[in-house]
Amino acid sequence: MSADQLEIDVLLYVALNEEFEALTSAFAEDLHAKLEVTELTDLALQVFSVSVTSPVLKKEIRLAIVPAGKMGATRAATVVSGILGRSSCNNVVVLGIAGSLSDDLQPGDVLIPDSVVEYLANSAAKNVEDKEEWELETSGNSYASNPRLLNRFQYLKTTHREQFERWEADCAERYAPVATEEVRAKMGEAGFTMRSEVRIFAGDDHKLASGPTVGKSEDFVEWLKSKVDRKFAALEMESAGVYDASSLREPPPRILAIRGISDFADERKKLIENGTKGQFREVAAKNALSLLLRGIEAGFFEPVAPEDVKKKSGLMLDKRRKNG
């Protein structure tokens, strides 16, 4: 792989080193493949790549992983812009862990949001009438996930049963040793009953809150859902930057967020982390990657040739002219 021009079908953005380490071991376990590494000459980044065979497409899909080594939307946007500037990549996936904002999503589940909301973007601080207090008035940026990719993952269980059942079996094997009776009992004492299996939550108007704040407070979660958007399902810190950087490309790549749920974004976060010694973070990251790999095998990320993009754009323009 050249450091000047990267040959990529799917760009995978990963923020933290612990997420990347979990994914590295998952690649070895799942694909029995070693990642190839390219150190870029003009960016302090390394790109790790691997070929994933798609039996459906009868070809290999080139997947490139870029670990940023740092949290936050600013870093994410900078890194993704730099990679897309030297690649004709048509698919971007931001993958990692997130904290649940809903009792429906429990540790181990995987969320593919309908949209990503940068909840503190364009916010304004204003005084509260008749009180010596101030509050934030929000007006966040919202980014939509690619509808085609989202739809395909929504119906993976129906359209590609073999890939779905493999994902489900792999998740169950990882989940059982971590979700012990002791952990379940502690969660029960906190008023939450854990399911015995993990699930995919894709689309269905689930929104991902993306911003600079780590959630460890029930009051903060209440503020997010009551003052910003009640449909927030999970919280993280990078996806808004990845989506924004991708949206500036012309034509833009298809983009998706795949987030493994590692804990809850409130007081239960500490309970989960102490009870499992952080093991759910690794489980969540691996469950998310496993879902991505099954999607690649199912042909969800078929390469899109530049001439096809131009052809589609031309057809849409002709259609508008006829209807105009």
Side-chain angles (χ1 to χ4, degrees):
M1 181 184 286
S2 167
D4 297 319
Q5 186 63 30
L6 302 173
E7 299 298 326
I8 303 172
D9 294 311
V10 180
L11 170 62
L12 178 58
Y13 179 87
V14 179
L16 298 176
N17 287 335
E18 68 164 314
E19 294 170 323
F20 178 66
E21 289 174 5
L23 300 188
T24 301
S25 68
F27 275 114
E29 297 164 4
D30 197 304
L31 300 178
H32 307 291
K34 186 177 180 180
L35 299 175
E36 300 174 22
V37 59
T38 299
E39 185 171 87
L40 301 182
T41 56
D42 57 343
L43 291 175
L45 291 171
Q46 297 186 71
V47 179
F48 299 82
S49 58
V50 66
S51 293
V52 182
T53 302
S54 170
V56 174
L57 297 177
K58 295 182 173 60
K59 66 185 303 179
E60 291 188 339
I61 298 297
R62 195 66 173 172
L63 175 64
I65 306 96
V66 182
K70 190 175 182 179
M71 295 191 297
T74 301
R75 177 76 162 199
T78 302
V79 169
V80 170
S81 293
I83 299 298
L84 290 180
R86 66 200 66 217
S87 168
S88 57
C89 174
N90 290 304
N91 301 285
V92 177
V93 175
V94 51
L95 187 145
I97 58 177
S100 174
L101 295 173
S102 166
D103 283 347
D104 291 338
L105 273 74
Q106 69 175 35
D109 290 340
V110 177
L111 170 69
I112 303 180
D114 184 75
S115 60
V116 171
V117 179
E118 189 180 12
Y119 58 88
L120 282 184
N122 312 311
S123 59
K126 66 174 187 178
N127 291 324
V128 180
E129 289 185 17
D130 302 323
K131 293 183 180 180
E132 294 184 1
E133 298 177 3
W134 62 272
E135 64 181 10
L136 282 177
E137 186 175 54
T138 62
S139 179
N141 295 327
S142 182
Y143 305 94
S145 296
N146 179 266
R148 178 67 67 195
L149 293 179
L150 181 63
N151 180 263
R152 287 173 176 172
F153 276 102
Q154 272 184 299
Y155 299 104
L156 173 68
K157 182 177 181 179
T158 303
T159 60
H160 295 83
R161 187 80 184 188
E162 180 182 346
Q163 278 77 19
F164 173 80
E165 289 180 350
R166 182 180 172 189
W167 175 81
E168 196 173 43
D170 288 345
C171 289
E173 188 175 340
R174 283 187 286 265
Y175 180 79
V178 181
T180 62
E181 289 186 12
E182 182 182 357
V183 170
R184 291 170 182 273
K186 286 183 178 180
M187 293 303 294
E189 291 171 9
F192 181 77
T193 302
M194 293 183 70
R195 282 184 266 106
S196 59
E197 79 289 337
V198 300
R199 296 177 183 172
I200 301 170
F201 290 80
D204 292 335
D205 214 17
H206 287 107
K207 297 182 180 181
L208 179 62
S210 188
T213 308
V214 176
K216 294 184 178 180
S217 163
E218 189 173 339
D219 289 340
F220 176 64
V221 172
E222 174 62 24
W223 176 81
L224 273 176
K225 302 198 75 168
S226 63
K227 300 294 185 181
V228 186
D229 198 317
R230 64 181 178 82
K231 293 184 179 179
F232 280 153
L235 174 71
E236 51 88 272
M237 303 177 74
E238 290 80 33
S239 291
V242 177
Y243 274 59
D244 187 55
S246 300
S247 69
L248 290 176
R249 308 300 299 179
E250 193 60 48
R254 299 182 295 190
I255 185 163
L256 207 63
I258 303 180
R259 287 289 183 177
I261 302 301
S262 59
D263 49 40
F264 294 94
D266 55 29
E267 283 82 356
R268 290 173 292 181
K269 180 182 181 71
K270 189 174 182 179
L271 188 64
I272 285 287
E273 290 181 344
N274 291 344
T276 65
K277 296 181 172 57
Q279 288 177 291
F280 257 126
R281 297 171 70 84
E282 181 177 350
V283 168
K286 288 185 174 181
N287 286 356
L289 176 64
S290 178
L291 183 58
L292 171 64
L293 294 178
R294 303 295 79 81
I296 292 175
E297 292 171 354
F300 289 178
F301 294 91
E302 84 285 2
V304 180
E307 55 268 25
D308 291 338
V309 175
K310 291 179 182 178
K311 189 184 297 182
K312 285 183 180 179
S313 299
L315 288 172
M316 288 299 294
L317 185 59
D318 289 342
K319 187 175 180 180
R320 286 173 187 160
R321 285 171 177 167
K322 288 179 182 177
N323 294 337

